[in-house]
Amino acid sequence: FRIFNRPASILGKSMFGCHSPQSFAAINEMLDAFKAGTKDKMSHSDVHAGSGRTVQVCYQAMRDEQGTYLGCLEAVTYRD
């Protein structure tokens, strides 16, 4: 598990360009649930290997006023 600083230019890009291929199945499952409207938020905690600190990774479906899925926001925060 790695944390990277991301430039603003990453906004609007595919999640598959900044995650490892091992996570693609989980990403597809999450995005399918967001697109179907069965979920709006998902999160998990993990230990950051480089620092040993616990991080919370949160994913939020972004929708317009009509509820149409627009994309996914990912946020990583330290929990300690």
Side-chain angles (χ1 to χ4, degrees):
F1 181 76
R2 298 179 293 174
I3 296 176
F4 298 97
N5 289 325
R6 300 280 190 212
S9 61
I10 196 75
L11 294 173
K13 303 292 184 189
S14 170
M15 289 184 72
F16 299 101
C18 56
H19 289 85
S20 68
Q22 296 91 327
S23 63
F24 287 1
I27 292 170
N28 274 322
E29 185 176 321
M30 176 184 67
L31 295 178
D32 287 347
F34 285 174
K35 291 173 187 175
T38 57
K39 298 228 183 221
D40 281 320
K41 295 179 184 180
M42 296 180 83
S43 66
H44 66 88
S45 294
D46 207 338
V47 175
H48 178 239
S51 68
R53 296 174 70 186
T54 301
V55 294
Q56 179 80 28
V57 185
C58 300
Y59 303 92
Q60 172 73 47
M62 305 304 294
R63 301 184 187 284
D64 65 13
E65 295 81 18
Q66 293 76 38
T68 303
Y69 177 76
L70 301 173
C72 176
L73 175 69
E74 177 182 19
V76 179
T77 56
Y78 286 106
R79 301 298 294 167
D80 53 10

